[in-house]
Amino acid sequence: MQAENVIKEKHAGDIEQLKFIFSDENRIIVTAPAGCGKTTAMVSKIARELSNGHILSNKKILAMTFSVNAAMKIKDSLKALLPELVENIQKYLAKVDVANYHNFAMRILFKHGYCLNGEFTHLSDFKIVDEDSPLLNTFITSADSDKLKKVNDAVKASNKEELIAALDDYWDILNRKLITNHVITYNGILISAIKLLRETQISSFYKQYYQMIIIDEFQDTNLLGYLLIKKLIGNNMIIFLGDDVQKIYGFLGAVNGIFNLIIETYPVIEIKFCNNYRFRENNRMKALDLFIRDCVENFQPSNLKASVLVKNLQSDHEEDDFIVKGIEKIVSTKEDKVAVLVRAGWQGNSVAQILDQKGILYFNALFKETDPEYISFYNIALEEFHNNVLGKAVQRNLKNCLLAVDARRNEIYQQESKKYIFESMYKLLEILFVESKKVSGTSRDKYDYIDFILGNKGLKHMMEFVDEQVVLTTIHAAKGLEWEYVIIPRLNGFAFPSSHMCRSCKEANSCNEGFDYCKFTYAQSLKKAFKEELSILYVGITRAKKNVFFTVNTGANKWNHSKTTSCLLNLEGLILEDYEWENAI
Ligand SMILES: Nc1ncnc2c1ncn2[C@@H]1O[C@H](COP(=O)(O)OP(=O)(O)OP(=O)(O)O)[C@@H](O)[C@H]1O
């Protein structure tokens, strides 16, 4: 009872949040714009179900998300809240499993995989690769390779019919030629788990074991993730959380309109949060938030109005200098943090160079997840973690692990220009080891925490804890994080939106181009691409607690034509205001 009162107090005044937390419905969809308390309410919901004894002693809660970072955030927040509600929080924390889709599928394969193929008993030795890995050529023919790629393409295009039609061939090749040789693909992990869950005995077990399943960031789920989740829906409580407007992984196959798919398939209640806490006292940001959402949701010129701060400069160089001046001004406040968030990593490199020249400290996370240095850092870190960290002396062994990774830095980068990837990742690894000390429980719990983050490429989660006041990263990597100020550069056509969208837009004639601006005309064929670009912009904007600043340059490009201002800024109803750092910070 006391726990319920604490939760009620915490959410007092927010009817929708309270309705969700205290609902006993079995199927709930919660949609919420950024900053409306989705994560906060989800953690309270889990805490409520745990503390009132709804979750039986032999049952658990599964908190699942698309990214490992989002999954970790749930557990971290739960750890902070539970002590206010109950004693012996260990007992309660142990009842919550967090996972991303791959991680969860791996757990199922470790447990039951032998039912599909005996080689799954050696799963910890398996190499996990993509469909285009050269390693596969050792085991499969090029015709096989095409069949595997068909599934990957269908997942990325979110094409259910093509996926279903290609699945049997995929499984056959995976089973006979890859699993046998201790190799599996990322898609293969999900496909194998789905296959196992087709066994009624296994799926019934999980449907009962997980008395409550919460799926966060549901808008980013791809078809295989969706098929996996469907196999876990029984009489248990299932909660889908997310925000369609924050769907930024369309290129990985995030299913369009996935919340509607659930509404059409299952009886559910839908709760929408609408109190924006992040921008509660910031009318400009609140209006901008509503405006962009309106354009994404309705895909037509908005009747709303909003204003943004946009600095128009004449060259990349001028633009970079201007950004660095802003960074210097913000850093001089000593308290506030600022992130330069780019649409694509390379767009931040020239700002990084000036910061280097000026000796301004910053954290550089401009690398891509596909950078070979990024991938090999994880491989080596995981290998050295397993080599060095054994037994009970986890903390002492972590130091040895760091030394061992450092000793292999030359294996990770060959070019001086890629050295920063090692240095940034190494810093995140150090932070992970420090954070792991705060993980309550046994040495084994700390070990599993680190193993989970490294195994799931989740070091970016640690970006939240870096000391530097300045962070350079991509909008995709910034999801779920926040800073006082955000600067978004290069609001030019062919930069943001991406050149991919701009090319299609030109071909479809959906772009009214002036000599230095682009205006989008809402052609239906561009709907998916345009909505995704605006969603990326939305995620970037909503990372700012105080203010967001845009820069653009309409100087000459290399063919001596004026560059265009992005169509994302030339939206009907959006007022562009010039600014100077002196008055804006
Ligand atoms: N009921 C509430 N009363 C007061 N503050 C709240 C409430 N709910 C959430 N907040 C605060 O609002 C801010 C945003 O909340 P939260 O991070 O849960 O939102 P979110 O919807 O998950 O955001 P995002 O999607 O951007 O990650 C946090 O600082 C949180 O403490």
Side-chain angles (χ1 to χ4, degrees):
M1 200 56 204
Q2 192 219 335
E4 297 231 333
N5 288 339
V6 174
I7 296 174
K8 277 187 186 144
E9 176 88 2
K10 194 171 152 63
H11 296 269
D14 196 314
I15 298 167
E16 301 303 329
Q17 287 188 357
L18 286 168
K19 183 175 167 191
F20 162 58
I21 297 164
F22 292 98
S23 168
D24 290 319
E25 293 287 338
N26 250 3
R27 309 262 176 277
I28 309 175
I29 285 180
V30 176
T31 54
C36 287
K38 187 167 57 70
T39 312
T40 314
M42 171 175 47
V43 170
S44 291
K45 173 78 179 167
I46 297 176
R48 186 243 176 180
E49 300 298 325
L50 285 174
S51 60
N52 68 6
H54 278 177
I55 308 298
L56 304 177
S57 60
N58 56 346
K59 311 274 174 195
K60 279 193 166 191
I61 292 176
L62 173 64
M64 191 134 84
T65 86
F66 168 80
S67 75
V68 61
N69 291 354
M72 292 313 299
K73 205 166 156 189
I74 300 172
K75 201 126 191 179
D76 288 350
S77 311
L78 202 54
K79 246 181 266 162
L81 174 63
L82 274 179
E84 288 180 51
L85 310 180
V86 286
E87 284 171 9
N88 186 10
I89 72 157
Q90 272 325 305
K91 184 178 98 185
Y92 293 97
L93 277 177
K95 291 179 78 65
V96 183
D97 283 348
V98 295
N100 64 4
Y101 296 139
H102 282 95
N103 182 259
F104 177 71
M106 283 292 272
R107 286 185 213 170
I108 293 187
L109 292 178
F110 269 114
K111 258 210 166 110
H112 316 275
Y114 66 89
C115 304
L116 291 175
N117 185 322
E119 295 303 323
F120 270 129
T121 49
H122 305 286
L123 184 56
S124 47
D125 301 331
F126 276 33
K127 282 223 156 5
I128 306 172
V129 295
D130 285 321
E131 279 79 3
D132 49 16
S133 162
L135 178 74
L136 295 184
N137 301 338
T138 325
F139 309 111
I140 62 175
T141 64
S142 67
D144 290 339
S145 171
D146 288 346
K147 287 179 185 163
L148 297 190
K149 283 179 185 152
K150 228 180 199 172
V151 162
N152 192 38
D153 291 346
V155 170
K156 284 194 171 155
S158 193
N159 187 328
K160 194 171 171 194
E161 284 71 38
E162 278 183 17
L163 176 70
I164 303 289
L167 269 182
D168 283 346
D169 278 348
Y170 194 103
W171 167 250
D172 182 53
I173 297 162
L174 187 71
N175 189 32
R176 283 190 305 110
K177 301 189 177 178
L178 297 181
I179 294 172
T180 325
N181 287 299
H182 294 186
V183 173
I184 194 162
T185 54
Y186 287 98
N187 283 332
I189 292 171
L190 298 183
I191 289 168
S192 305
I194 293 165
K195 198 158 177 72
L196 265 176
L197 289 169
R198 285 206 185 121
E199 301 291 327
T200 322
Q201 252 186 329
I202 297 177
S203 57
S204 312
F205 168 78
Y206 284 103
K207 284 173 188 171
Q208 285 172 38
Y209 185 60
Y210 289 118
Q211 219 181 317
M212 172 170 158
I213 300 180
I214 292 203
I215 305 140
D216 192 18
E217 307 284 4
F218 188 53
Q219 76 280 352
D220 289 325
T221 305
N222 71 16
L223 275 175
L224 289 176
Y226 180 63
L227 292 177
L228 183 75
I229 285 167
K230 278 182 75 168
K231 295 275 170 229
L232 300 171
I233 303 178
N235 292 325
N236 41 0
M237 181 186 274
I238 313 279
I239 297 163
F240 305 91
L241 292 112
D243 177 17
D244 259 333
V245 178
Q246 292 183 68
K247 182 170 91 67
I248 59 171
Y249 286 101
F251 65 100
L252 295 180
V255 179
N256 252 343
I258 194 160
F259 288 102
N260 286 338
L261 213 56
I262 293 291
I263 292 168
E264 285 158 17
T265 318
Y266 302 96
V268 307
I269 65 154
E270 194 182 354
I271 301 173
K272 292 184 183 188
F273 294 171
C274 40
N275 294 328
N276 191 327
Y277 293 95
R278 191 169 291 137
F279 299 147
R280 194 171 16 188
E281 275 147 30
N282 191 335
N283 286 335
R284 173 202 288 277
M285 292 297 284
K286 205 189 288 174
L288 183 58
D289 180 307
L290 290 173
F291 177 84
I292 303 280
R293 293 189 70 81
D294 190 40
C295 295
V296 179
E297 283 173 339
N298 299 317
F299 192 64
Q300 63 182 28
S302 174
N303 292 324
L304 301 175
K305 288 218 177 319
S307 65
V308 277
L309 298 175
V310 180
K311 189 77 193 168
N312 195 336
L313 296 136
Q314 286 308 303
S315 69
D316 286 356
H317 195 69
E318 259 188 36
E319 193 181 352
D320 294 337
D321 278 344
F322 181 79
I323 290 167
V324 172
K325 282 208 179 85
I327 290 174
E328 285 175 307
K329 176 90 169 77
I330 293 166
V331 171
S332 71
T333 64
K334 300 270 183 289
E335 293 142 19
D336 291 337
K337 292 194 167 191
V338 54
V340 178
L341 301 183
V342 288
R343 170 72 181 83
W346 58 268
Q347 293 166 353
N349 289 342
S350 45
V351 172
Q353 267 173 15
I354 304 179
L355 293 176
D356 285 335
Q357 283 158 13
K358 292 197 160 203
I360 299 171
L361 288 180
Y362 67 100
F363 185 79
N364 188 339
L366 289 169
F367 41 81
K368 289 201 296 263
E369 300 200 353
T370 46
D371 278 328
E373 294 77 11
Y374 176 88
I375 295 166
S376 76
F377 185 92
Y378 272 115
N379 291 341
I380 288 176
L382 205 56
E383 204 177 304
E384 292 304 339
F385 176 65
H386 291 156
N387 286 344
N388 285 280
V389 186
L390 305 160
K392 289 195 170 159
V394 172
Q395 292 309 326
R396 195 180 62 222
N397 292 337
L398 289 177
K399 278 200 188 115
N400 295 339
C401 173
L402 282 171
L403 290 173
V405 173
D406 194 27
R408 295 178 67 181
R409 57 165 64 215
N410 293 340
E411 282 176 53
I412 294 171
Y413 64 89
Q414 260 88 53
Q415 298 168 35
E416 201 54 21
S417 63
K418 294 298 178 105
K419 188 175 161 192
Y420 84 91
I421 300 183
F422 175 85
E423 309 222 309
S424 296
M425 299 292 288
Y426 191 79
K427 192 172 269 180
L428 295 177
L429 186 67
E430 285 179 309
I431 297 174
L432 169 65
F433 288 172
V434 171
E435 287 301 307
S436 72
K437 288 186 197 159
K438 298 181 197 155
V439 172
S440 36
T442 61
S443 287
R444 183 74 216 179
D445 293 324
K446 296 178 206 298
Y447 181 98
D448 288 345
Y449 171 78
I450 297 170
D451 201 33
F452 178 64
I453 300 254
L454 290 180
N456 289 286
K457 299 198 167 59
L459 275 179
K460 277 190 188 160
H461 174 62
M462 298 298 142
M463 219 150 66
E464 199 175 335
F465 306 108
V466 298
D467 292 333
E468 284 84 350
Q469 265 181 283
V470 185
V471 171
L472 263 54
T473 191
T474 61
I475 295 178
H476 282 90
K479 201 159 184 228
L481 302 177
E482 50 182 29
W483 295 267
E484 274 73 23
Y485 296 105
V486 163
I487 302 173
I488 305 183
R490 304 283 191 264
L491 261 291
N492 283 100
F494 289 86
F496 195 173
S498 67
S499 52
H500 178 71
M501 143 117 190
C502 287
R503 248 180 267 124
S504 319
C505 193
K506 275 195 162 213
E507 276 163 30
N509 256 337
S510 178
C511 169
N512 276 342
E513 211 179 335
F515 104 104
D516 64 352
Y517 69 90
C518 265
K519 196 158 182 172
F520 186 69
T521 58
Y522 294 89
Q524 279 301 318
S525 62
L526 266 295
K527 186 172 177 176
K528 193 167 168 238
F530 183 73
K531 279 174 88 146
E532 182 134 339
E533 292 294 331
L534 258 190
S535 290
I536 296 170
L537 189 73
Y538 179 75
V539 169
I541 289 171
T542 52
R543 300 308 94 209
K545 287 195 266 187
K546 289 189 177 170
N547 220 339
V548 61
F549 303 100
F550 293 96
T551 63
V552 57
N553 85 71
T554 47
N557 63 16
K558 59 183 169 188
W559 298 282
N560 229 7
H561 291 141
S562 285
K563 289 199 235 177
T564 52
T565 319
S566 165
C567 60
L568 303 177
L569 290 182
N570 291 316
L571 298 167
E572 206 112 353
L574 189 62
I575 302 150
L576 311 187
E577 284 179 20
D578 185 30
Y579 64 98
E580 295 299 336
W581 293 118
E582 288 69 39
N583 315 320
I585 306 287

